[in-house]
Amino acid sequence: MVTPDSPPQRIFALDALRGIAVIGIVGMNVHAFALPGPAYYNPLAYGATGAVDYRVWLASFVFVEDKFRTLFAMLFGVGCLILLEKGGEQPWRAHYARMLVLFVIGLVHATFLASNDVLRAYALAGLALPLLAGLSARALVAVAAGLLMVHVALGLTAFGSAMVDFYLNRAGTDALLFAERNFGHDPAAIAALLEQGREGFGARIMRRSAAIPAQLTTLVASLPLNLAAITLGMGLWKAGMLKGQWRTFRLQRIAGLAALVALPALLALAGWLVAEGFPAALAGPVALVLSAPFDTLLGVAYAALAMAFMGSENALTRSLAAVGRLSLTNYLMTSVILAAIFAPWGLGLFGCVTRWQALALGLVPIAAMVLWSPPWVARLGQGPFERLWREGARILS
């Protein structure tokens, strides 16, 4: 993810990787806009009417879900570290000004468009980065691994009761009811979410504004996982991988080893859900907790492959690099386009499409990014929201 200022010498493959990350995020965000919340994690909850929808879920779970979020967070960490390493007067103050402006942008984004906004979580996690910036590459990777384990431990503590109740055939417990409302097919919950998804623009802003304090709990709970990815990106930058300093063979080997661990594990978790019939008590913890280490590994594999093969300029990599240079603007404009398709003040297709149809409609913002980013970069360089972020942080610092 880009930061308010650009490094003195841009790394072409890194820009292309940013482009891949922001494009890949659309593959899951489209389901958040198109379907009720539980369907994001569980194809049985809503929107799966045929075999193709379950194949879309499987492909998304194994190759997309949280992998590109990991990349986005890693690159956010790289951008922050670059600016901290540039120094200047009071670099900590400038960094915290950037995080404050980013949090405000994310808050507006979450209130008006996308309740699943990640910018707020990145801004909060970013408060710790000046304390970590002086660590070595190896120490940063170790911190990232530790934070990832904290996330898994906390997640199992939160969801463990539902999993135990499910396997002990207990019915109607609070843990199972909570899981069913959030990750299953509770008819009342789905009906309420469908009605909520069709509310007017003003009503939505009022509801989300009132929920801002409650959202902080969710943001805090996401900090270990997001900070793990951000710190990992910083470590891989210091190690030279994301600077483009590693040889192609080494990058391929890292990608192969990471994928060799991650893919069988993710397929096994998917098989577990299918074998058990997608119970809500398992769908939540599998998607949010148990898959997290393997999502991170596959994100590293994607990063290594991009650094290995995206360094030379051609039509594809130039387009991806342009998308990446406008990653903040493209991330936000994706929400504008998806809202125009699915929100009631747009085409109103929320809850009216299947899983595969939603994924197909996700090609619209991807095409828009690919088409508009190269001419914008060629003529103006920075995107409008990158400029807003930079200028807002400059004023505050």
Side-chain angles (χ1 to χ4, degrees):
M1 179 178 174
V2 294
T3 48
D5 304 301
S6 300
Q9 294 182 337
R10 304 199 68 92
I11 299 172
F12 187 77
L14 196 63
D15 281 334
L17 180 57
R18 286 190 179 99
I20 292 169
V22 75
I23 287 172
I25 284 175
V26 177
M28 290 308 298
N29 274 3
V30 67
H31 295 117
F33 277 87
L35 303 170
Y40 186 92
Y41 310 100
N42 189 340
L44 285 187
Y46 195 87
T49 59
V52 66
D53 293 304
Y54 292 98
R55 293 191 182 100
V56 166
W57 167 82
L58 178 62
S60 297
F61 176 79
V62 175
F63 296 106
V64 180
E65 185 179 339
D66 275 345
K67 287 73 178 174
F68 294 97
R69 178 206 57 78
T70 295
L71 281 179
F72 208 47
M74 285 168 55
L75 295 169
F76 173 78
V78 170
C80 290
L81 183 58
I82 289 171
L83 293 179
L84 287 167
E85 288 179 339
K86 284 171 66 175
E89 294 185 6
Q90 298 180 312
W92 286 31
R93 180 174 177 177
H95 173 78
Y96 288 129
R98 290 190 290 269
M99 295 306 100
L100 177 57
V101 174
L102 184 66
F103 185 86
V104 172
I105 292 173
L107 190 61
V108 173
H109 179 228
T111 304
F112 283 78
L113 292 170
S115 59
N116 64 332
D117 166 81
V118 299
L119 302 179
R120 299 161 299 165
Y122 291 179
L124 291 177
L127 298 178
L129 299 193
L131 305 176
L132 300 171
L135 297 179
S136 67
R138 185 169 296 181
L140 286 166
V141 172
V143 169
L147 287 166
L148 195 55
M149 293 304 102
V150 168
H151 168 77
V152 172
L154 292 176
L156 290 177
T157 300
F159 293 113
S161 296
M163 297 173 71
V164 170
D165 290 342
F166 170 74
Y167 277 109
L168 292 181
N169 292 315
R170 295 171 181 162
T173 65
D174 289 343
L176 286 176
L177 291 174
F178 173 84
E180 194 62 36
R181 285 194 300 270
N182 289 277
F183 310 111
H185 188 267
D186 179 277
I190 295 296
L193 289 169
L194 287 171
E195 184 66 26
Q196 181 176 287
R198 293 163 185 151
E199 66 191 349
F201 188 59
R204 178 164 296 186
I205 292 174
M206 293 294 291
R207 175 177 59 80
R208 288 182 175 173
S209 297
I212 287 174
Q215 292 172 3
L216 289 176
T217 301
T218 303
L219 291 176
V220 170
S222 73
L223 286 180
L225 182 60
N226 284 304
L227 188 54
I230 291 168
T231 306
L232 180 59
M234 295 166 66
L236 293 177
W237 170 262
K238 285 199 171 187
M241 173 180 154
L242 296 179
K243 292 180 180 179
Q245 295 176 348
W246 286 12
R247 296 175 125 187
T248 299
F249 175 74
R250 186 180 183 187
L251 291 165
Q252 291 174 322
R253 185 174 61 182
I254 290 292
L257 290 174
L260 191 63
V261 175
L263 289 176
L266 290 166
L267 287 168
L269 289 171
W272 183 27
L273 288 178
V274 171
E276 295 291 353
F278 292 98
L282 299 183
V286 165
L288 293 172
V289 180
L290 297 178
S291 66
F294 311 109
D295 295 334
T296 302
L297 277 175
L298 203 53
V300 171
Y302 291 169
L305 289 174
M307 297 308 294
F309 298 112
M310 294 287 179
S312 59
E313 290 196 40
N314 54 53
L316 173 62
T317 57
R318 281 195 299 271
S319 181
L320 288 173
V323 172
R325 290 189 63 176
L326 306 184
S327 60
L328 176 60
T329 294
N330 281 326
Y331 173 71
L332 296 172
M333 292 307 297
T334 292
S335 294
V336 173
I337 295 171
L338 292 178
I341 294 172
F342 296 108
W345 55 87
L347 297 178
L349 294 183
F350 174 78
C352 299
V353 296
T354 64
R355 199 173 195 92
W356 78 263
Q357 290 169 340
L359 185 63
L361 287 168
L363 295 175
V364 175
I366 292 174
M369 284 189 273
V370 171
L371 288 172
W372 91 285
S373 296
W376 183 284
V377 169
R379 290 179 175 86
L380 299 171
Q382 272 194 328
F385 287 100
E386 284 79 7
R387 193 175 302 277
L388 173 66
W389 189 10
R390 184 194 67 189
E391 291 302 315
R394 183 185 62 80
I395 292 169
L396 289 177
S397 60

